[in-house]
Every structure is written in structure tokens, then in C-alpha cells.
Amino acid sequence: MNFDAAIIGAGPAGAVTAYELARRGHPVFLVDKAKFPRPKVCGCCLNRSAVQTLHRLGLGAVLASAVPLTAVCLAAARHQATISLSGGVALSRERLDAALVEAAVRAGAIFQEGEARQVADCQTIARVVVVASGLLGNAATPCVDSRIGAGVVVAADMVPAFFRRGIIYMATAGGGYVGLVRLEDDRLDVAAAFDAPFVRQMGGLGLAAEAILAETRWPAIPQLARLPWKGTPALTRRATRRAGPRWFAVGDAAGYVEPFTGEGIAWAIRSATALAPLVTKAAERWSDSLVRQWEVTHRRRIQSRQRVCRIVTRALRWPLLTAWAVRTLAICPALARPLVASLNRCPQLRGAEQ
């Protein structure tokens, strides 16, 4: 076999896994069906935990052009609250993902873009396969009430001055929520999660976003509904398996919960650093016990951190409760500090992950 590990998917989870393995001296093959740099339906935010972990891994340089985040502006039923946020950044996925892939290549990984690969195919050239190909990258079952994702990037000259750099804007309503943030080149990244019936009722993704934003009385974004929106499969899902004979799933392929202020990329990076030591063991000698080890490790280090977002996701499905919470936070923003601290807590990397 030519490689110790083949990694399918070059998003943050796949690229960081490749980087971690390559810098340990493993021959690594990283492949993605897209051509880089490529856009991504994503909120384009990294929370403080993600930023600190990247710095600890020696990858802080990939954030050189990122926009520091200082606050989150929440809106529901024409109520609005601003919550302080520190340590996070906004950075387009085109730039972030390309920079992480470049770091993996510099560490020694072989990267092939524009080609789709399957697990069985990769197992013929590598001792271990890592599936990091996103929501559809593994046998994951969507939750019954899972929302669909949607996103578009608005050109800088079309963005109202109301939307300032360094602030995450989030508008919520009964049919879903819309998040907006300025990128490093002043474009506006718009990422949303909608109930599928709401999208059908409104007549499309862009019209659904306009309907939710209209409730906030924020300035309208010209031609928002006519822009080239992209959608995703059902978001929140549970993986039926996270590992099997000579393969592991990591990142979104190992299960997904809707994030809000950059938690998703933090989970992806964290899961990559947690998986790398197990892939090292598997490349040396495969043992079926590694399947159980990854299930336990993922549950302890990743799923436990997703619980807060899971609770928030469910709360957002109750418009009256959401409106009451936003109105309360407008009066006393300090009430959000424990939640913000929990979402941004950066765990200490263990010895094998240093």
C-alpha cells in the first residue's frame, strides 16, 4: 500500500487530520471532489475554541486575514439584543479551507482535487481510510425535525452599511433563522437553517430568508432572493456508525448539530486532533477495538460539546420562547455569559494530540 491513510474530503476536519498525520511522518493521501478554492454553505465563523486550537497546532497563520468578532446581534419578533463575543473570527471558507489544505501539503500530504473517491477504492491504496466528506459522507440518519441549510454570499457593494464588520447578526422566526457576517473582503456571508415546509410556503430559499429578515426591520439586502442560493441536505443527523474495518468518520460525517457562532468548525478541528492518534495505531496494526475506542472518544470529546447547541436548536423552534429570551437579553446581556463561555471553552490538548 502506498499510504498509511487516505482522507476523503478536504474541509477543516479532513485537512487538519491530514496535517496532523503528515507531520507525524505518515504518508497521507488527501482527496476532494471539488476544485479549490471552493465556496461552501457555511456561516464562515470560528469561535474562540477553534482559533485557540489552530494556534496550538501551529496553524494560526491561516487566520492572518480573518475578521475579529466582537458581538452577536440577535433579533426575534422585532426585539433585539447584542451580546459581547471575543476571541472568534470570520473568514471565508474559500480562504480557510484552501489554507488548511496548503498546510497539510507543506507537512507532506499528497492532495488530489476534482476527483470523487469511495471508501472501498481508497482502501486499495491506504491502510486506513478517514471519511471527512460532510453531511452525506457516512451512513448518518437525519433527525425527524431536522432543518435544511442554505447560504449565499452578497457582494460588498450590495451590503447595507447597517451590517458592520466584527458582528454576527442572527434573525430568528418560526420557520428558521438567518445568520449574517462580514467576511475579510467585506462581502456578506448569509447562512440559514429553514424548515422545509416553510421554504415551500415562501417559494424558495431566498424568499424564505427575506421573510425572516423582514420581521427584524433590518435594512433589506437588494435582490437577496435572486442571488444564487445553495442548499444542503437535512442538517442535524446522527451517524449510525463512526468507524468500521479500516475506516473512521470524522467531522460532519460523524454526526452534525446546527452550530451558531463558529462551533461547527471547532468540533471539526477538535475531532481531527482526537482521531489522529487512533489512525496512527490503525496504520501500524489494525484492531477492531479501535472502532469502539473512536466511538467512546467521539462521544466524550465531541458529542458532549454539542449538547448546548442541540438545546439551543430546539429552543429556537418556539418563537414565543425565543422572543422572550431576546427581550430578556436586551435588558440584561450578562445573562448570556455562561452560554457564551460554554460554547467557546477551549479544551486542553492531550499529550498525544500536541
Side-chain angles (χ1 to χ4, degrees):
M1 295 190 178
N2 300 323
F3 301 96
D4 284 350
I7 301 169
I8 304 173
V16 173
T17 302
Y19 169 80
E20 284 289 89
L21 293 172
R23 73 171 184 160
R24 286 173 165 83
H26 293 284
V28 177
F29 177 62
L30 176 64
V31 62
D32 197 288
K33 65 182 179 180
K35 289 280 191 178
F36 281 59
R38 53 99 167 92
K40 189 83 172 176
V41 180
C42 175
C44 293
C45 293
L46 295 83
N47 68 1
R48 183 173 61 200
S49 175
V51 171
Q52 291 181 353
T53 303
L54 286 175
H55 279 286
R56 292 179 183 181
L57 295 175
L59 293 171
V62 304
L63 305 175
S65 60
V67 179
L69 296 172
T70 60
V72 179
C73 182
L74 301 174
R78 298 185 178 177
H79 299 290
Q80 185 171 300
T82 301
I83 300 169
S84 295
L85 189 69
S86 63
V89 299
L91 184 65
S92 66
R93 288 295 297 271
E94 297 102 313
R95 186 163 296 187
L96 172 66
D97 291 10
L100 290 175
V101 168
E102 183 181 350
V105 171
R106 285 199 307 268
I110 303 298
F111 176 53
Q112 186 170 28
E113 57 185 334
E115 183 175 332
R117 292 284 188 121
Q118 303 299 319
V119 172
D121 175 33
C122 288
Q123 284 182 327
T124 65
I125 63 171
R127 293 180 174 83
V128 186
V129 176
V130 176
V131 181
S133 48
L135 295 175
L136 298 181
N138 193 30
T141 304
C143 296
V144 175
D145 57 351
S146 179
R147 286 172 162 163
I148 60 173
V152 73
V153 178
V154 182
D157 58 359
M158 295 176 59
V159 182
F162 172 83
F163 297 105
R164 295 179 292 157
R165 287 169 64 95
I167 298 177
I168 301 174
Y169 296 84
M170 182 172 290
T172 65
Y177 58 85
V178 180
L180 312 95
V181 67
R182 288 267 196 173
L183 299 175
E184 66 277 3
D185 54 6
D186 272 343
R187 291 179 300 161
L188 185 71
D189 183 82
V190 184
F194 299 125
D195 294 325
F198 178 70
V199 174
R200 291 193 291 267
Q201 178 186 352
M202 292 297 103
L205 297 171
L207 292 170
E210 285 189 337
I212 291 178
L213 291 174
E215 293 189 23
T216 65
R217 295 184 176 178
W218 288 344
I221 300 173
Q223 306 296 318
L224 181 62
R226 296 187 179 183
L227 295 176
W229 282 79
K230 293 184 178 181
T232 72
L235 290 173
T236 301
R237 55 182 61 212
R238 300 177 187 274
T240 55
R241 292 188 303 164
R242 294 186 178 86
R246 293 176 50 216
W247 68 269
F248 300 93
V250 71
D252 296 350
Y256 187 81
V257 178
E258 296 168 35
F260 299 97
T261 59
E263 298 81 21
I265 295 178
W267 300 330
I269 297 169
R270 178 62 176 169
S271 62
T273 62
L275 178 60
L278 293 181
V279 176
T280 294
K281 292 180 180 179
E284 294 172 354
R285 182 178 181 181
W286 174 260
S287 169
D288 289 340
S289 66
L290 294 172
V291 173
R292 175 61 178 169
Q293 287 185 47
W294 178 230
E295 291 286 353
V296 172
T297 299
H298 189 277
R299 182 168 57 250
R300 185 174 67 248
R301 301 192 196 178
I302 309 302
Q303 286 181 272
S304 63
R305 298 182 176 279
Q306 294 176 334
R307 292 193 187 108
V308 174
C309 281
R310 196 182 298 277
I311 293 171
V312 173
T313 296
R314 297 207 173 272
L316 288 175
R317 294 182 178 274
W318 297 85
L320 293 179
L321 175 62
T322 304
W324 173 83
V326 172
R327 185 169 51 187
T328 301
L329 291 174
I331 299 171
C332 186
L335 292 175
R337 288 176 184 170
L339 176 62
V340 173
S342 175
L343 293 175
N344 283 274
R345 181 168 56 91
C346 183
Q348 183 68 36
L349 295 182
R350 301 192 178 189
E353 300 170 66
Q354 294 286 354

